[in-house]
Amino acid sequence: MDDNKKETFVWDNIPEWAVFSLEYGIEEELFLTDEDKDLITRFITENFPNGYTMSVDWESYKEFDCYPAFGKPCKTYTVKFCNL
């Protein structure tokens, strides 16, 4: 495996409601709307078409972020993504 092709991306505005689905997949999420699932799917498809690993900085968050990575204003976290 060539580790030189891996890149790390940091988003400081990932919606709190999306963290679980980004980590475990939208198939495991029972309480999201179809619109929210679509937002997550588009985010993944546009940014990480070949997959990713992620880590959440639980200490770095905004209680109310007017400009989350996707969706409506909400609480957001800083998340580090590493493409596969």
Side-chain angles (χ1 to χ4, degrees):
M1 179 190 255
D2 186 6
D3 288 329
N4 294 331
K5 293 186 179 187
K6 289 187 177 183
E7 292 184 70
T8 300
F9 303 92
V10 178
W11 265 273
D12 66 353
N13 60 349
I14 297 298
E16 177 182 44
W17 56 263
V19 171
F20 179 87
S21 294
L22 287 167
E23 182 70 27
Y24 298 105
I26 58 173
E27 302 81 21
E28 301 298 322
E29 182 59 67
L30 302 175
F31 302 105
L32 289 180
T33 66
D34 288 340
E35 179 183 355
D36 290 340
K37 290 178 182 179
D38 184 53
L39 290 171
I40 293 169
T41 300
R42 282 191 286 153
F43 175 79
I44 294 169
T45 302
E46 290 172 8
N47 296 290
F48 306 105
N50 298 319
Y52 61 91
T53 60
M54 63 180 267
S55 64
V56 180
D57 182 350
W58 296 109
E59 302 297 320
S60 178
Y61 62 89
K62 296 176 191 162
E63 277 298 328
F64 187 79
D65 190 338
C66 292
Y67 304 102
F70 47 87
K72 297 176 183 172
C74 61
K75 183 175 183 178
T76 59
Y77 284 93
T78 298
V79 180
K80 184 185 298 183
F81 295 90
C82 184
N83 68 351
L84 298 180

